[in-house]
Amino acid sequence: MNLLTISELDKEQITTLLERAALLKERHKSGIPYHPLRGKTLALVFSKASTRTRVSFETAMFHLGGNAIFISHRDSQVGRGEPIKDTARVMSRYVDAVVIRTFGHEIIEEYASYSDVPVINGLTDMHHPCQVLADLLTIKENRGTLKGLKIAWIGDGNNMANSWVEAAVKCGFDLTLASPPGYELDEAIISRARADADGEILQTSSVAKAAEGADVLNTDVWASMGQEEEQRERIKSFKDYQINNKTVALANKNVMVMHCLPAHRGEEITEDVLEGSRSVVFDQAENRLHIQKAILEWLMLPHDA
Ligand code: CP
Ligand code: NVA
């Protein structure tokens, strides 16, 4: 069993993971020790930079009584071109699960096909499931439900946007994505999702259309990791795709402003909104820890399903 995308989870699995994460969070806050992964090791094989994903997974393993090993492309054979299929099989002989952060989604798919232990997606160019699950937990904590909410995505049709679309299909909220022309998610992804979703999934170039009456305003960097060379060109194309006080004024009074971080203040979000009373960005970051404990438990411990 792996966790590579949100779409491979069914509705009940998402609900179970969110409920379990909430319970583990409560237990952790009460100081109740819980060490079900004693003797188990998680490897983090990362080809891109990370702060939150690395630290939250390492800490999650530590809290659960297990051990974590971080392997960067800079100081391992991964960065020197050792084939994925060899790394995957070698890792399977040492560790009990692996988190991969890489570029093309096909790389993690290949890795998973050669791995004998569970593989977790710690971000690829196409998906960021652990972040979106943490974000769903954050919304549920604040609103009690996901169903029927109006969620807006302002900015790039990137990995985060794609995982949000997959979450909308499973969780029954309305999702409107506002992206500059040329930077939308592939229309085929949207139509496939629409066919399976209970809520509405829309793609538009109008920020106002997405933001009006929104319960959640969500954004991410204009240029993702691997797109550094496009940064200057993207700044021009994305300049009107910002969460600022005007965007917030269009949304519901109690809107939650979300960003997976790291943020570029003054680009996709203004400093005052990021630091303002509607922002839940640090709760999102914290919830990475709690949801990932639920994910690790689910993938690393025996269970019925
Ligand atoms: N949000 C997120 O995945 O952050 P990192 O890149 O720091 O892991
Ligand atoms: N879309 C961003 C998310 C970073 C957590 C990236 O891929 O760089």
Side-chain angles (χ1 to χ4, degrees), residues 48 52-53 101 123-125 128 131 158-160 220-221 223-226 260-262 288:
K48 287 176 176 171
R52 279 145 289 267
T53 306
R101 172 167 282 206
L123 182 147
T124 61
D125 290 348
H128 199 3
Q131 180 68 54
N158 63 10
N159 43 10
M160 282 292 299
D220 187 11
V221 289
S224 286
M225 288 181 278
C260 62
L261 302 177
R288 294 292 302 274

CSV table of all heavy atoms in Angstrom, one decimal, residues 48 52-53 101 123-125 128 131 158-160 220-221 223-226 260-262 288, ligand 2:
chain,number,residue,atom,x,y,z
A,48,LYS,N,14.4,17.4,-3.8
A,48,LYS,CA,14.0,18.9,-3.8
A,48,LYS,C,14.2,19.3,-2.3
A,48,LYS,O,14.0,18.5,-1.4
A,48,LYS,CB,12.6,19.1,-4.2
A,48,LYS,CG,12.3,19.0,-5.7
A,48,LYS,CD,10.8,19.2,-6.0
A,48,LYS,CE,10.5,19.1,-7.5
A,48,LYS,NZ,9.1,19.1,-7.7
A,52,ARG,N,9.2,21.8,6.0
A,52,ARG,CA,8.0,21.2,6.7
A,52,ARG,C,7.9,19.7,6.5
A,52,ARG,O,7.8,19.0,7.5
A,52,ARG,CB,6.7,21.9,6.2
A,52,ARG,CG,6.4,23.2,6.8
A,52,ARG,CD,5.7,24.1,5.8
A,52,ARG,NE,6.7,24.5,4.8
A,52,ARG,CZ,7.4,25.6,4.9
A,52,ARG,NH1,7.1,26.4,5.9
A,52,ARG,NH2,8.3,25.9,4.1
A,53,THR,N,8.0,19.3,5.3
A,53,THR,CA,7.8,17.9,5.0
A,53,THR,C,8.9,17.0,5.7
A,53,THR,O,8.5,16.0,6.4
A,53,THR,CB,7.8,17.6,3.5
A,53,THR,OG1,6.9,18.5,2.9
A,53,THR,CG2,7.5,16.2,3.2
A,101,ARG,N,10.4,12.8,-2.3
A,101,ARG,CA,10.1,14.1,-2.8
A,101,ARG,C,10.9,14.2,-4.1
A,101,ARG,O,12.2,14.1,-4.1
A,101,ARG,CB,10.5,15.2,-1.8
A,101,ARG,CG,10.4,16.6,-2.5
A,101,ARG,CD,10.4,17.7,-1.5
A,101,ARG,NE,9.1,17.9,-0.8
A,101,ARG,CZ,8.7,19.1,-0.3
A,101,ARG,NH1,9.5,20.2,-0.4
A,101,ARG,NH2,7.5,19.2,0.3
A,123,LEU,N,5.7,15.1,-2.2
A,123,LEU,CA,5.6,16.2,-3.2
A,123,LEU,C,6.3,15.7,-4.5
A,123,LEU,O,7.4,15.3,-4.5
A,123,LEU,CB,6.2,17.5,-2.8
A,123,LEU,CG,6.1,18.7,-3.8
A,123,LEU,CD1,5.9,20.0,-3.0
A,123,LEU,CD2,7.3,18.8,-4.7
A,124,THR,N,5.5,15.8,-5.6
A,124,THR,CA,6.0,15.7,-7.0
A,124,THR,C,5.5,16.9,-7.7
A,124,THR,O,4.8,17.7,-7.2
A,124,THR,CB,5.5,14.4,-7.7
A,124,THR,OG1,4.1,14.4,-7.8
A,124,THR,CG2,5.9,13.1,-6.9
A,125,ASP,N,6.0,17.0,-9.0
A,125,ASP,CA,5.5,18.1,-9.8
A,125,ASP,C,4.0,18.1,-10.0
A,125,ASP,O,3.4,19.2,-10.3
A,125,ASP,CB,6.1,18.1,-11.2
A,125,ASP,CG,7.6,18.4,-11.2
A,125,ASP,OD1,8.1,18.8,-10.1
A,125,ASP,OD2,8.3,18.1,-12.2
A,128,HIS,N,0.6,16.8,-4.2
A,128,HIS,CA,1.2,17.0,-2.9
A,128,HIS,C,0.1,16.6,-1.9
A,128,HIS,O,-0.5,17.4,-1.1
A,128,HIS,CB,1.5,18.5,-2.7
A,128,HIS,CG,2.5,18.8,-1.5
A,128,HIS,ND1,3.0,17.8,-0.8
A,128,HIS,CD2,3.0,19.9,-1.0
A,128,HIS,CE1,3.8,18.3,0.2
A,128,HIS,NE2,3.8,19.6,0.1
A,131,GLN,N,0.2,17.5,2.1
A,131,GLN,CA,-0.2,18.8,2.4
A,131,GLN,C,-1.7,19.1,2.3
A,131,GLN,O,-2.3,19.7,3.2
A,131,GLN,CB,0.5,19.8,1.4
A,131,GLN,CG,0.2,21.3,1.7
A,131,GLN,CD,0.8,21.8,3.0
A,131,GLN,OE1,2.0,21.6,3.3
A,131,GLN,NE2,0.0,22.3,3.9
A,158,ASN,N,-0.9,24.1,-10.3
A,158,ASN,CA,0.3,23.3,-10.0
A,158,ASN,C,-0.1,22.0,-9.3
A,158,ASN,O,-1.2,21.6,-9.2
A,158,ASN,CB,1.3,24.2,-9.3
A,158,ASN,CG,0.8,24.6,-7.9
A,158,ASN,OD1,-0.3,24.2,-7.4
A,158,ASN,ND2,1.5,25.6,-7.3
A,159,ASN,N,0.9,21.4,-8.6
A,159,ASN,CA,0.8,20.2,-7.9
A,159,ASN,C,-0.3,20.3,-6.8
A,159,ASN,O,-1.1,19.5,-6.6
A,159,ASN,CB,2.1,19.7,-7.3
A,159,ASN,CG,3.0,20.8,-6.7
A,159,ASN,OD1,2.5,22.0,-6.5
A,159,ASN,ND2,4.2,20.5,-6.4
A,160,MET,N,-0.2,21.5,-6.0
A,160,MET,CA,-1.2,21.7,-5.0
A,160,MET,C,-2.6,21.8,-5.5
A,160,MET,O,-3.6,21.2,-5.0
A,160,MET,CB,-0.8,23.0,-4.2
A,160,MET,CG,0.3,22.8,-3.2
A,160,MET,SD,-0.2,21.7,-1.8
A,160,MET,CE,-1.5,22.6,-1.1
A,220,ASP,N,-0.6,29.6,-3.5
A,220,ASP,CA,0.8,28.9,-3.4
A,220,ASP,C,1.7,29.8,-4.3
A,220,ASP,O,1.2,30.7,-5.0
A,220,ASP,CB,0.6,27.5,-4.0
A,220,ASP,CG,1.9,26.7,-3.9
A,220,ASP,OD1,2.8,27.1,-3.2
A,220,ASP,OD2,2.0,25.6,-4.5
A,221,VAL,N,3.0,29.5,-4.2
A,221,VAL,CA,3.9,30.3,-5.0
A,221,VAL,C,3.6,30.3,-6.5
A,221,VAL,O,3.0,29.4,-7.0
A,221,VAL,CB,5.4,29.7,-4.8
A,221,VAL,CG1,5.9,30.0,-3.4
A,221,VAL,CG2,5.4,28.2,-5.1
A,223,ALA,N,5.9,30.4,-8.9
A,223,ALA,CA,6.9,29.4,-9.5
A,223,ALA,C,7.3,28.4,-8.5
A,223,ALA,O,7.8,28.7,-7.5
A,223,ALA,CB,8.1,30.2,-10.0
A,224,SER,N,7.0,27.1,-8.9
A,224,SER,CA,7.3,26.0,-8.0
A,224,SER,C,8.7,25.6,-8.1
A,224,SER,O,9.4,26.0,-9.1
A,224,SER,CB,6.3,24.8,-8.3
A,224,SER,OG,5.0,25.1,-7.8
A,225,MET,N,9.1,24.7,-7.2
A,225,MET,CA,10.5,24.1,-7.3
A,225,MET,C,10.7,23.5,-8.7
A,225,MET,O,9.8,22.7,-9.1
A,225,MET,CB,10.7,23.1,-6.2
A,225,MET,CG,10.8,23.8,-4.8
A,225,MET,SD,11.2,22.6,-3.5
A,225,MET,CE,9.5,22.0,-3.2
A,226,GLY,N,11.8,23.8,-9.3
A,226,GLY,CA,12.0,23.3,-10.7
A,226,GLY,C,11.6,24.3,-11.8
A,226,GLY,O,11.9,24.1,-12.9
A,260,CYS,N,0.3,26.8,1.7
A,260,CYS,CA,1.0,25.6,2.2
A,260,CYS,C,2.4,26.0,2.7
A,260,CYS,O,3.1,25.2,3.4
A,260,CYS,CB,1.1,24.6,1.1
A,260,CYS,SG,2.0,25.1,-0.4
A,261,LEU,N,2.9,27.2,2.3
A,261,LEU,CA,4.2,27.7,2.6
A,261,LEU,C,5.3,26.8,2.0
A,261,LEU,O,5.1,25.6,1.8
A,261,LEU,CB,4.5,27.7,4.2
A,261,LEU,CG,3.5,28.5,5.0
A,261,LEU,CD1,3.8,28.4,6.5
A,261,LEU,CD2,3.5,30.0,4.6
A,262,PRO,N,6.5,27.3,1.6
A,262,PRO,CA,6.9,28.7,1.9
A,262,PRO,C,6.2,29.7,1.0
A,262,PRO,O,5.8,29.4,-0.1
A,262,PRO,CB,8.4,28.6,1.5
A,262,PRO,CG,8.5,27.5,0.5
A,262,PRO,CD,7.5,26.5,0.9
A,288,ARG,N,0.5,19.1,9.4
A,288,ARG,CA,1.4,18.1,8.7
A,288,ARG,C,1.8,17.0,9.6
A,288,ARG,O,1.8,15.9,9.3
A,288,ARG,CB,2.6,18.8,8.0
A,288,ARG,CG,2.3,19.8,6.9
A,288,ARG,CD,1.7,19.2,5.7
A,288,ARG,NE,2.6,18.1,5.1
A,288,ARG,CZ,3.6,18.4,4.3
A,288,ARG,NH1,3.8,19.6,3.8
A,288,ARG,NH2,4.3,17.4,3.8
B,2,NVA,N1,4.0,24.2,-5.5
B,2,NVA,C1,5.1,24.3,-4.6
B,2,NVA,C2,4.7,23.7,-3.2
B,2,NVA,C3,5.8,23.8,-2.2
B,2,NVA,C4,5.5,23.1,-0.9
B,2,NVA,C5,6.3,23.6,-5.2
B,2,NVA,O1,6.1,22.5,-5.8
B,2,NVA,O2,7.4,24.1,-5.1
